[in-house]
Amino acid sequence: MKRWLIGSLILLAAAATALAWSFSGAVLPVPAGAAFTLPTPRPPPELQLYAIASGSMASRAALAYRGGSFSDHRVFAMGSILVRHPQGDLLFDAGFGRSVAAHVRTTPRLMQWTSQYRAATPVADRLRAAGIAPEHLRGVVLTHAHWDHVSGLEDLPGIPVWLHAAELAFIRSGDPSTELARQLGARDYRTLEFSDGAYLGFASSHDLFGDGSVVLVEAPGHTPGSIIAFVHLADGARYALIGDLAWQIEGVELPAERPWLPRRLVDHDAAAVRDLLVHLHRLQRELPGLVVVPAHDQRVWDRLPQLTPTP
Ligand SMILES: [Zn+2]
């Protein structure tokens, strides 16, 4: 056999071994840290949180976190979280919109070939069916601007879209992962100020309603302007809406990062994502009852209050 052929085969085998290894289990080390102090929120009794799934994608645990199995089929929820506050109704992310079939074609071919999506009733229509006029929303807060989080914005014309200034710059930078956000054209974008001081170990925060019930923190990593939202209800229920920091809850519970290939494809700063996963892991451990909500873990979404149509 020719020497170059042997060399190529050895290289190929080494690459295949490295790729297989990158999917193997690797729990991130969790160093001890100072205890977290949770400022006392003053949520109004009317504050409520609802999940609105507007579709899903079929995937595998192995693609979501290191150590997940390829035979472990997972449903990735695609949708919005609705927060109803006396000062106004807010959506976190916009889920799949009415034109999702066209929107999915703005994504990389590899994603289109390797995953199948299923569309359900879009968020704007789900709101209307529940007796909530979408045109009266106070705004949509984007955890980040990837296509599956902005698709439904098209059905919500004129609604303010709140996001981190770095995420708006990411959209305007021409990065391929924000292609759909650019195609959706001019939106009423409003950038968030993070001037409300440190919060749960994050350096700065934005208290959305001024009562500590919905607090946003900067969490750059998955994208440059990713954010996390903490929501505290009057009955003591508390949630962390973490966007795509982890796709499935094991990312936080183990904690474990995405395998190399998906990490390379979707994460802007993998080291920052690792640090945030460890931080969230510690928060979940130390704040009893904190429900960490990855944007795409259907099992977690199924346990949230669901927005149902009015009879
Ligand atoms: Zn994303």
Side-chain angles (χ1 to χ4, degrees):
M1 205 184 291
K2 291 226 166 55
R3 197 178 294 171
W4 65 264
L5 182 58
I6 295 169
S8 303
L9 286 173
I10 290 171
L11 269 179
L12 203 61
T17 307
L19 186 63
W21 176 82
S22 74
F23 285 95
S24 65
V27 172
L28 296 167
V30 181
F36 298 108
T37 315
L38 176 65
T40 310
R42 292 165 278 101
E46 303 92 334
L47 183 69
Q48 295 295 339
L49 175 146
Y50 298 96
I52 311 174
S54 55
S56 61
M57 291 185 98
S59 190
R60 314 282 174 131
L63 297 172
Y65 61 93
R66 289 196 65 175
S69 164
F70 275 100
S71 61
D72 185 352
H73 293 256
R74 293 289 173 95
V75 176
F76 277 37
M78 299 284 157
S80 283
I81 300 289
L82 170 68
V83 171
R84 308 204 72 185
H85 189 285
Q87 291 183 41
D89 294 333
L90 279 179
L91 286 178
F92 285 86
D93 295 328
F96 283 175
R98 295 176 190 135
S99 305
V100 63
H103 293 170
V104 77
R105 289 198 289 274
T106 66
T107 67
R109 286 279 162 83
L110 183 63
M111 201 214 76
Q112 294 182 50
W113 290 333
T114 55
S115 51
Q116 308 110 32
Y117 78 91
R118 187 186 64 81
T121 308
V123 172
D125 301 328
R126 289 282 303 280
L127 289 172
R128 209 174 283 290
I132 300 167
E135 58 273 21
H136 292 155
L137 283 172
R138 182 183 167 106
V140 181
V141 180
L142 294 181
T143 62
H144 66 293
H146 282 160
W147 81 280
D148 47 323
H149 298 253
V150 303
S151 166
L153 288 182
E154 195 175 48
D155 310 331
L156 300 165
I159 302 298
V161 180
W162 298 90
L163 76 177
H164 195 295
E167 200 66 5
L168 185 54
F170 189 46
I171 293 173
R172 292 177 174 159
S173 74
D175 187 276
S177 72
T178 53
E179 173 62 29
L180 179 58
R182 280 186 299 284
Q183 282 193 16
L184 293 179
R187 301 276 125 189
D188 184 3
Y189 284 126
R190 303 183 187 189
T191 54
L192 294 156
E193 297 282 330
F194 291 84
S195 52
D196 291 326
Y199 187 84
L200 292 177
F202 294 88
S204 55
S205 64
H206 177 91
D207 184 348
L208 254 176
F209 295 108
D211 56 14
S213 64
V214 182
V215 179
L216 313 179
V217 297
E218 298 173 280
H222 178 58
T223 63
S226 285
I227 62 161
I228 292 172
F230 291 92
V231 182
H232 305 273
L233 305 189
D235 64 4
R238 46 175 73 136
Y239 304 91
L241 312 180
I242 66 167
D244 285 4
L245 180 61
W247 281 330
Q248 300 279 290
I249 194 63
E250 289 89 343
V252 172
E253 285 182 347
L254 289 170
E257 63 183 336
R258 276 180 267 275
W260 174 79
L261 188 60
R263 205 165 68 225
R264 287 284 301 176
L265 292 172
V266 304
D267 285 333
H268 172 75
D269 181 344
V273 169
R274 274 194 289 278
D275 290 346
L276 285 163
L277 289 171
V278 169
H279 190 90
L280 259 292
H281 176 86
R282 288 189 55 224
L283 270 179
Q284 194 184 38
R285 204 170 57 190
E286 293 182 29
L287 291 184
L290 176 69
V291 179
V292 174
V293 184
H296 300 307
D297 193 323
Q298 185 73 53
R299 300 161 306 166
V300 176
W301 278 56
D302 285 344
R303 294 197 293 270
L304 299 177
Q306 305 291 314
L307 188 70
T308 51
T310 48

